[in-house]
Each structure stands twice: as C-alpha cells, then as structure tokens.
Amino acid sequence: MTFNIGVIRGDGIGPEIVTEAIKVLDAVGKKFGHEFNYTEILMGGCSIDATGEPLTDEAIAAAKASDAVLMGSIGGNTSTSPWYKLPADKRPEAGLLKLRKSLNLFANLRPAYLYEELKEACPLREDIIGDGFDMMIMRELTGGLYFGERSTKEENGQLVARDSLTYSETEIRRIAKRGFDIAMKRRKKVTSVDKANVLDSSRLWRKIVEEVALDYPEVKYEHMLVDNCAMQLVKDPGQFDVILTENMFGDILSDEASMVTGSIGMLSSASLNDTKFGLYEPSGGSAPDIAGKGIANPIATILSAAMMLRYSFDLDKEADAIESAVKQVLKDGYRTIDIMPQEAEKRGEVTQVGTGAMGDLIISRI
Ligand code: NAD
C-alpha cells in the first residue's frame, strides 16, 4: 500500500531524530511491501526564519493533504533565541497550537511503558513495578477547563477569578469512542477517570462513557475518581490498560505516568481527530542543549512512527515489528546517553551509541 506522510522536522534535535524515524519507516516499507511518500512541511523556528511565520497556510494545506504527519520538535532556547523576542503569536510554539486547531486534533494519546532493561530509571519500588506496566493515557485535548470562559473581576472590593469547565455530549462521545477503539487494539480494558462525586461535567462524562461502552461488549471498563487514579498510578501501575479522561485530569495524569517510566527520550505521542489522520511526535522538546551533537535519543520518534502505522494506517504487525526491534536493541545492551545507567558497574554492561547508530541498530532488528 502507499501512504503519504507529512514530515515536520522542526528545530533543535528535530531533524536528527526524524531522519532516524524515516530510515526505520523505509526499512519497514521494504520488508512489508509498502511505499511511504514524504512531503516536507516547515513549522516552528525554521519556518520563522524562512517565511516570517511559524506556520503558513501552505504548510497547513500540506498537512491536511497528508494521511498523517510525523513531527520532530520545534522551538529553541527560550532565553537566548531571537524567536522568543517576537510577539507570542509569532513564536515557534504558536505554529503547533495553530496546527492542532486547524486539524481538530481532539484526542491525545501518550503511552507509558516500562522497559525491563530501563527499570532502574523508574522511581518506584521493585515490588510495585512487579512485571512492569504498559498503559495508554487518552486525554481529551480541545475542551474542558482550558478552553472554557474565564474572567477576573473585582467583586465586593476584592478580585475574583473564574474558569468554567464545559463538556458537551458530542465532545465526550467522540473521545470515548476513540478510547474504546484503542482498547480493542490492546488488552481491552478502559479505566474512565473523572470526579463524578463533585462535578456535573464528570457525571455527564460517566453517562456517555457507559452508553459508548455498550457498543464494545469485549472491552471491560471501570470508572475511577481522579484522586484515586493519581494514587493508583504509583501504587499499582500494572492494573491500567487505557486511561480515558478529560483535558485537565489527562494533563496531570499523563505527566505522572510518563515520569514513572524514566527517560523523556523514550516517550512517544499521538494527537488524533475523528478521521484516521493523526499527528505523531515525541513527548520531549527540541533539546537545544544537545542539538547537532548526534547524541539525541531517536527512540521516542521511532515509536511515534510505529503509533502512526498502528493508528492511522492500521498496520499493526508493522508497528509490532518496530516496537520489538526497539526492545531487542535495549536487550542487546545499546543505549543513548540519556538512558545510560548511572551506576559505574552497570555502565560497563552496556554500550553507548549516538543517534544514527541507534537508528541503524533498530533497523537491523526489523
Ligand atoms: P526538552 O524536552 O527539549 O529538554 C529537556 C531535557 O531533556 C534536556 O536536557 C534535553 O537534552 C533532554 N532531552 C529531550 N529530548 C531528548 C532526546 N530525544 N534525547 C536525549 N535527551 C533529550 O525541554 P525544554 O528544554 O524545556 O525545551 C526546549 C525547547 O523545546 C523549547 O523551545 C520548548 O518550547 C520546546 N518544546 C517543544 C515541544 C514540541 O515540539 N512539541 C515540546 C516541549 C518543548
């Protein structure tokens, strides 16, 4: 099959890590008989330098015309880069917000997976880690508290601030469906997280999730209050498969879940709309401190490409091949600098490699 992929290399380490992901995609294409065509799209600081804008209308049109977009990262050093002397709507990050909005990317997916070989980077106790964990946080991205009406007014001689949390049935239903669809591709369990003991928006969330669940009889689901979920993530993370939740709860829980996995260089992500289209990117930023040194970890971007194969192209066995190759490389003792063990004796057991070598090692195991 042929797929058209928009490619945003971006700034800092972006171009280096995207190069490796494309190398891996091409290897998968060769092995499984697919053709991946790439369209380069400018966004972020490099777009500002070339066009004066962080994201042009042509770039948005190119992204829309693609089957999916693979992105590195955008932005520079926020203290020293001239990009950060520009007005807020002209800075690199404004490009990403505009792209998410233009493409209606309402569902954010962030996996939190603990690799056996990187267990020492996990801050949890060995008995809590148990057999490890493998969960997916599905966060609503375009509604709720962050997009509600807000105000700060003087009332009775003091300032009063208000933020409103609004969700419609349609917004809840579309993200819930996405969550159950993803669960069908995994271990078929959904934990829907809310605060239904207090919030009306959470009670509606629960009602709609229960309605959607009727269409997925194979998926086991449960409701969990957000305060309990925050505790369970560090008490027994192995219990979770898909965590489905609204915008603010997801913002906090996804950071908590990713913290317990270890390095930022391993964390992939996807943002989806109600078609098969998705924007796939590593969770980390452009890491200007290590840009151009050839030492950045490309694995998060390579795993983001695997997510693209699974969720936008329905190429599950091809995605499996990438994920298994990554596990094998770690098992074989190869590490980029960010995932090198701290202890000297353990350092002797593994080999440090750069960005390009890590990409090659993964390809040789596909
Ligand atoms: P960062 O994630 O870029 O870096 C934080 C630390 O993690 C740094 O020490 C960096 O070297 C390290 N790191 C990140 N990715 C790595 C990788 N793949 N391999 C090895 N080490 C890695 O966060 P920051 O320094 O706060 O932000 C830098 C720039 O990135 C800013 O301009 C910020 O706005 C931007 N940013 C962009 C995105 C995005 O493109 N979606 C996300 C977050 C931050």
Side-chain angles (χ1 to χ4, degrees), residues 13 17 71-78 84 93 96 100 264-265 281-290 295-298 337-338:
I13 60 168
I17 53 183
M71 183 180 139
S73 41
I74 51 140
N77 183 316
T78 48
Y84 296 91
E93 288 72 13
L96 184 54
R100 285 186 179 145
I264 186 103
E281 53 170 323
S283 296
S286 60
D289 52 334
I290 57 166
I295 58 170
N297 186 349
I337 192 166
D338 57 311

Side-chain angles (χ1 to χ4, degrees), residues 108-112 136-139 233 243 245 247-261 267 283:
N108 183 245
L109 267 186
R110 261 166 75 173
M136 184 71 86
I137 315 270
M138 165 68 93
R139 165 189 172 194
L233 277 171
I243 292 180
T245 192
N247 202 344
M248 182 180 61
F249 298 158
D251 187 7
I252 299 165
L253 295 176
S254 61
D255 269 17
E256 185 188 358
S258 59
M259 227 350 263
V260 295
T261 63
L267 297 170
S283 296

Side-chain angles (χ1 to χ4, degrees), residues 12-272:
I13 60 168
E16 301 165 50
I17 53 183
V18 167
T19 296
E20 299 313 309
I22 288 180
K23 268 164 55 178
V24 171
L25 281 172
D26 286 340
V28 167
K30 204 165 158 201
K31 170 151 186 187
F32 291 89
H34 305 298
E35 195 185 338
F36 299 118
N37 299 321
Y38 305 103
T39 304
E40 299 284 339
I41 299 172
L42 275 184
M43 188 172 87
C46 56
S47 175
I48 296 173
D49 291 346
T51 70
E53 295 288 331
L55 183 74
T56 61
D57 290 344
E58 296 79 64
I60 296 174
K64 281 187 175 163
S66 310
D67 296 322
V69 171
L70 178 68
M71 183 180 139
S73 41
I74 51 140
N77 183 316
T78 48
S79 313
T80 56
S81 165
W83 298 328
Y84 296 91
K85 301 214 162 46
L86 297 166
D89 64 338
K90 298 283 179 205
R91 292 179 190 175
E93 288 72 13
L96 184 54
L97 294 179
K98 191 171 163 191
L99 186 68
R100 285 186 179 145
K101 201 166 169 196
S102 313
L103 298 170
N104 192 25
L105 301 172
F106 63 83
N108 183 245
L109 267 186
R110 261 166 75 173
Y113 179 85
L114 185 71
Y115 289 89
E116 175 68 28
E117 292 71 21
L118 302 180
K119 254 183 177 173
E120 65 259 19
C122 175
L124 302 180
R125 275 200 329 257
E126 191 92 31
D127 60 312
I128 293 175
I129 296 172
D131 295 333
F133 49 85
D134 173 7
M135 69 186 110
M136 184 71 86
I137 315 270
M138 165 68 93
R139 165 189 172 194
E140 203 288 330
L141 204 58
T142 55
L145 199 59
Y146 297 172
F147 290 88
E149 279 178 27
R150 64 189 86 252
S151 67
T152 307
K153 286 184 198 149
E154 195 171 313
E155 288 177 17
N156 302 324
Q158 64 172 340
L159 286 175
V160 177
R162 282 191 185 81
D163 296 289
S164 57
L165 201 179
T166 307
Y167 269 110
S168 70
E169 282 186 57
T170 311
E171 285 172 312
I172 301 169
R173 197 177 305 281
R174 65 183 185 179
I175 184 89
K177 281 176 130 173
R178 273 293 188 166
F180 279 80
D181 283 341
I182 301 284
M184 286 296 288
K185 282 185 174 264
R186 294 174 48 93
R187 300 193 309 278
K188 301 191 173 66
K189 181 179 174 197
V190 169
T191 304
S192 174
V193 175
D194 61 39
K195 188 71 183 167
N197 52 342
V198 179
L199 301 175
D200 261 26
S201 55
S202 284
R203 286 190 273 272
L204 181 62
W205 182 277
R206 250 183 211 213
K207 178 174 177 290
I208 303 299
V209 167
E210 280 170 11
E211 287 174 17
V212 170
L214 294 174
D215 294 333
Y216 298 84
E218 285 177 59
V219 178
K220 275 209 308 201
Y221 79 97
E222 62 181 353
H223 300 291
M224 190 177 280
L225 295 176
V226 62
D227 38 353
N228 185 26
C229 185
M231 289 193 289
Q232 294 298 327
L233 277 171
V234 289
K235 189 168 166 251
D236 179 16
Q239 70 184 284
F240 295 111
D241 180 17
V242 174
I243 292 180
L244 168 67
T245 192
E246 60 95 75
N247 202 344
M248 182 180 61
F249 298 158
D251 187 7
I252 299 165
L253 295 176
S254 61
D255 269 17
E256 185 188 358
S258 59
M259 227 350 263
V260 295
T261 63
S263 168
I264 186 103
M266 300 294 296
L267 297 170
S268 52
S269 86
S271 301
L272 312 172

